[in-house]
Amino acid sequence: MIERRHALLSPTPGTSRELLSLHYGPPGTGRKVAIQASLHADEVPGLLVAHHLRSRLGELEAQGSLQGEIVLVPFANPVGLSQWVLGSHEGRFDLASGENFNRLYADLAPRAAEILEPRVRGGADVGVADARAALLQACAELTVTTELQCLRRTLLGLAIDAEVVLDLHCDNEAVLHLYTLPALWPEVEPLARLTGSRAVLVADLSGDEPFDEACSAVWQRLSAALSERAGCKIEFPAACVGVTVELRGERDVTHEFARADAEAILQYLAWRGFIAGAPQRLPDLLCEATPLAGSIPVLAPQGGVLVHARPLGSVVKRGEVVAEIVDPLGGHAMPLASPTDGVLYARESRRFVTAGTRVCKVAGREAVRSGKLLSD
Ligand SMILES: [Zn+2]
């Protein structure tokens, strides 16, 4: 294993942070996986999964079982990890800018297309390896002026040339679920089986450039940008399987969960040929892929005490009561109904909410939302 430390741009004199990446397996095979934990720094389950992955990857490497490079970033956000305000951890938004740590990753396709264009015009064959090199160059050229921008460039530089990118997150309270591109579902389905996912939410464009899409959707964009520049049809395959893995809820931090999740990830990598010994048989699939645009939040129309009415993972019908808001002033309880048929896969963890809070989310089959599909 090779350990690399990446110094982040220092925001003020006398302060500095660094990102750690652990590199297992043989580099330079053209095959690479990137796994990162807790980009939203207050989403802790991924940190524990990375802890278990670390020791297992060490064992597998010692046995000579790794057949490609596996990069593990055991804490993806040292900036967010340090943001403690009056006793509370604020790990989702950068306090200096207000920006979400998992948004605004650069679209590297235009610059990579510019780098590749002369070779295409010169009649050379341009393949996935060339494109990965161009994407790495485009990433390295990004200008950064803040610590946050430097963090984003560093993370993207570790993952943009990977064939599999797993970004480990969690929700408030949730069953395990995944986000990915619709076209990648056949590639992601074994991961859904191995992790026991209860929902898979797919979208071509979630909005605001989350990390997994910056790594996966870039391939389609690069094909389009290079075709336009070179004046001929260039079509790269979907060369990166990017997935955001939501490891249940923020308090689901146990060795049992983390060990099992780490093992599921390793089994998936074995299925993809990164580790010797693929699983004989994949477990049953517990859900289908549904559009992210069909995941409907239930909003609190008024503030009050939140009482959930259905357990996580419930299959609910439209109109079925999923929660109540109890108004301590008026003394009445307002029932909240599911807006769609689907799986109740995530819900608010606080028990007092203000008007407009998303109290839970139901994954339905029908795409009814548009615009930015992710919550802030
Ligand atoms: Zn997150």
Side-chain angles (χ1 to χ4, degrees):
M1 185 266 286
I2 297 167
E3 191 177 298
R4 296 210 171 99
R5 291 174 184 274
H6 313 263
L8 300 183
L9 189 155
S10 168
T12 52
T15 65
S16 62
R17 294 188 183 85
E18 63 180 16
L19 196 70
L20 177 68
S21 61
L22 308 173
H23 300 248
Y24 298 87
T29 61
R31 301 201 65 197
K32 176 177 166 183
V33 174
I35 304 171
Q36 67 179 26
S38 303
L39 178 55
H40 286 142
D42 50 355
E43 297 174 2
V44 179
L47 296 178
L48 196 60
V49 170
H51 168 75
H52 286 283
L53 279 173
R54 203 167 167 155
S55 54
R56 286 286 290 122
L57 285 168
E59 288 168 14
L60 291 164
E61 185 172 54
Q63 291 163 9
S65 300
L66 301 183
Q67 294 162 354
E69 186 184 15
I70 299 176
V71 178
L72 176 65
V73 178
F75 57 97
N77 187 354
V79 181
L81 269 184
S82 70
Q83 290 187 161
W84 285 82
V85 183
L86 303 177
S88 294
H89 191 186
E90 178 46 73
R92 186 174 182 82
F93 300 97
D94 171 46
L95 287 180
S97 63
E99 290 174 5
N100 187 316
F101 285 112
N102 189 24
R103 304 287 185 272
L104 305 176
Y105 284 82
D107 177 7
L108 300 175
R111 175 63 187 134
E114 192 181 10
I115 293 165
L116 293 169
E117 182 191 343
R119 297 176 57 177
V120 175
R121 287 196 180 276
D125 268 348
V126 172
V128 168
D130 306 295
R132 285 192 173 128
L135 289 166
L136 276 175
Q137 184 185 333
C139 186
E141 288 173 1
L142 289 173
T143 308
V144 299
T145 55
T146 67
E147 189 181 34
L148 174 60
Q149 290 169 357
C150 184
L151 174 69
R152 288 182 177 133
R153 182 179 68 182
T154 307
L155 292 172
L156 207 50
L158 286 164
I160 196 67
D161 60 339
E163 181 181 320
V164 178
V165 171
L166 302 179
D167 193 12
L168 308 182
H169 287 248
C170 74
D171 212 303
N172 286 164
E173 292 181 356
V175 284
L176 198 147
H177 59 284
L178 309 175
Y179 293 89
T180 193
L181 303 182
L184 294 175
W185 171 230
E187 302 291 316
V188 174
E189 201 225 55
L191 181 66
R193 290 174 182 265
L194 287 159
T195 54
S197 293
R198 303 293 301 278
V200 177
L201 303 158
V202 296
D204 279 315
L205 207 59
S206 305
D208 285 345
E209 296 287 325
F211 185 79
D212 69 326
E213 284 182 20
C215 297
S216 58
V218 74
W219 286 93
Q220 211 177 352
R221 289 179 204 152
L222 182 56
S223 299
L226 188 54
S227 300
E228 196 180 321
R229 288 191 83 97
C232 61
K233 184 85 181 151
I234 310 277
E235 200 153 353
F236 293 109
C240 175
V241 178
V243 189
T244 294
V245 182
E246 299 281 346
L247 298 163
R248 307 176 193 82
E250 54 203 15
R251 286 172 186 246
D252 293 322
V253 182
T254 68
H255 282 302
E256 288 72 23
F257 278 143
R259 237 182 249 121
D261 293 338
E263 211 50 49
I265 288 169
L266 294 172
Q267 291 276 298
Y268 179 61
L269 299 184
W271 180 82
R272 297 199 69 90
F274 281 95
I275 300 171
Q280 297 288 313
R281 186 182 160 275
L282 293 170
D284 290 343
L285 187 62
L286 302 181
C287 67
E288 57 185 333
T290 54
L292 179 55
S295 164
I296 316 293
V298 176
L299 303 179
Q302 63 179 54
V305 178
L306 170 61
V307 184
H308 290 296
R310 295 301 311 271
L312 284 163
S314 297
V315 176
V316 297
K317 289 277 178 205
R318 181 179 177 161
E320 192 173 330
V321 173
V322 289
E324 278 185 350
I325 302 291
V326 175
D327 174 5
L329 198 61
H332 60 266
M334 175 183 281
L336 303 182
S338 174
T340 183
D341 293 354
V343 179
L344 175 68
Y345 70 95
R347 64 189 200 184
E348 173 59 52
S349 55
R350 287 167 297 188
R351 295 298 184 255
F352 187 89
V353 295
T354 54
T357 301
R358 294 162 171 239
V359 304
C360 62
K361 294 182 275 192
V362 180
R365 286 181 178 159
E366 212 179 317
V368 291
R369 294 190 299 135
S370 58
K372 289 180 188 176
L373 297 174
L374 295 170
S375 50
D376 295 338

